[in-house]
Amino acid sequence: MKRDLLGVGDLTPAESADVFALARAMKHEPKGARLNALAGRSIAIVLEKASTRTRVSFEVGAAQLGAHPVVIPMQGSQLMRGEPVRDTARVLASYSDMIIYRTSERTRLEEMATAKVPVVNALSDDGHPVQVLCDIFTIEEALAVPIRQVRVSFVGDCASNMARSWVEAAGVFGFALKLAAPEGYMPPASALALGKGNVTLTHDPSEAGVDVDVVNTDVWASMGQEDEATERFSALTGFTVNEAMLRKSPSAIVLHCLPAHRGEEIDEETLEGPRSRVWSQAENRLHVQKALMLWLLTR
Ligand code: CP
Ligand code: NVA
């Protein structure tokens, strides 16, 4: 039976560990080492929102595995002219072996998942699971301990897709997650329930960096929220990740999925400083997603 990855919980921790082991192996191989792995396969990458990292890491990753990636960008596809997602899913599945999909509402994602081939969520309003799986890989690589032993905080817009996938990950992997955000910027109760009691909330930014090993943040206005940027900036002021916030956790590392808005959710010194793992985090998108594509198509 085909497997989809619509949320972090679609893989068990043991399955994620298998994907991470494959990613660790591939990271140290020459780029052309697995050119026959998915030879003859095609991977459709459907993007209804902008993307740099997700698009390029999946596209290059597919090519490095010998598969043919087909990018269907937001402009120019019939989806953007109103063709039903379900019809698109049916047709794309008859041409390709996997669909990678970046969209907005969960319902669109679920419609795409009616396809007969595996569907991977490449960001939606309610999550960015491949990013968070890659981030967990990066944390285990940086700290050399299993994620269940790591104390993570997410600071800023905790209602964002990134924060929601972190909440789901806390429930699946069983690690402690602290969310630090102003009132009105926390996930809805239904999303928090996925954290299975492993999530604590604070509205006090001075608590965000206390007793944690990893501090995550993301933009204050996600794609589609540009019109709310001024209001969001004023509500989230004080939640910038910076050295003052982190001084009680001298060894904490910092992650940001990128793109970053320096001076808003994170300052330049922290993004470029010794705590930052942001650039290896971005590189690991390639290794982990290559492993994920291979695992989904050959398990
Ligand atoms: N982090 C991330 O998904 O980046 P892109 O929007 O550039 O794909
Ligand atoms: N929360 C951000 C993540 C971008 C990778 C957004 O949805 O725009």
Side-chain angles (χ1 to χ4, degrees):
M1 217 176 84
K2 70 134 177 170
R3 291 283 296 273
D4 299 319
L5 183 82
L6 306 190
V8 175
D10 288 335
L11 290 186
T12 65
E15 289 171 337
S16 295
D18 288 346
V19 171
F20 293 167
L22 193 51
R24 266 192 298 278
M26 291 201 289
K27 184 168 180 173
H28 300 291
E29 290 170 359
K31 284 192 174 71
R34 299 204 189 214
L35 277 176
N36 293 322
L38 295 180
R41 314 280 191 116
S42 297
I43 298 190
I45 303 170
V46 183
L47 301 170
E48 293 177 359
K49 292 180 178 177
S51 175
T52 298
R53 280 146 289 272
T54 306
R55 174 190 170 155
V56 178
S57 52
F58 272 118
E59 191 173 357
V60 169
Q64 288 180 1
L65 293 170
H68 177 66
V70 183
V71 176
I72 300 120
M74 49 188 162
Q75 300 307 328
S77 81
Q78 297 290 7
L79 266 176
M80 301 316 278
R81 296 182 57 247
E83 183 171 13
V85 179
R86 200 172 277 269
D87 293 357
T88 308
R90 201 161 154 181
V91 173
L92 289 180
S94 71
Y95 301 149
S96 65
D97 300 280
M98 179 180 292
I99 301 171
I100 314 283
Y101 187 32
R102 173 166 285 197
T103 188
S104 45
E105 298 91 7
R106 174 83 186 186
T107 48
R108 292 181 72 77
L109 193 60
E110 286 172 355
E111 278 192 45
M112 191 64 96
T114 60
K116 290 201 170 75
V117 297
V119 172
V120 173
N121 179 0
L123 182 145
S124 57
D125 290 345
D126 71 333
H128 197 0
V130 286
Q131 176 74 59
V132 170
L133 286 174
C134 294
D135 297 352
I136 290 171
F137 175 88
T138 301
I139 291 168
E140 292 189 340
E141 179 181 63
L143 304 182
V145 291
I147 188 68
R148 65 178 182 279
Q149 295 173 18
V150 179
R151 299 162 304 171
V152 179
S153 85
F154 193 100
V155 184
D157 180 10
C158 291
S160 66
N161 41 19
M162 278 298 301
R164 290 187 196 204
S165 281
W166 272 109
V167 168
E168 188 176 357
V172 171
F173 290 91
F175 59 86
L177 175 69
K178 183 186 327 195
L179 301 182
E183 295 212 23
Y185 289 84
M186 288 292 184
S190 57
L192 273 176
L194 297 178
K196 296 185 183 151
N198 295 317
V199 183
T200 55
L201 311 182
T202 178
H203 297 307
D204 180 356
S206 71
E207 287 294 314
V210 178
D211 294 332
V212 290
D213 306 302
V214 178
V215 176
N216 265 289
T217 189
D218 185 17
V219 290
W220 288 349
S222 285
M223 290 182 276
Q225 298 173 331
E226 291 81 0
D227 292 351
E228 303 166 17
T230 308
E231 177 195 329
R232 289 173 157 272
F233 186 90
S234 107
L236 285 149
T237 295
F239 285 83
T240 303
V241 173
N242 55 27
E243 275 309 310
M245 181 183 275
L246 303 180
R247 68 180 184 282
K248 291 199 178 142
S249 294
S251 57
I253 62 167
V254 170
L255 298 181
H256 188 314
C257 65
L258 301 174
H261 289 188
R262 291 167 169 81
E264 294 185 20
E265 75 277 1
I266 190 166
D267 71 353
E268 170 82 13
E269 185 192 1
T270 310
L271 188 70
E272 298 292 356
R275 294 177 184 277
S276 172
R277 295 295 181 279
V278 169
W279 310 107
S280 54
Q281 177 188 7
E283 180 193 326
N284 284 335
R285 298 291 303 278
L286 174 69
H287 308 302
V288 176
Q289 291 164 199
K290 266 171 79 175
L292 178 67
M293 289 187 280
L294 194 52
W295 188 85
L296 285 171
L297 289 178
T298 60
R299 74 195 166 79

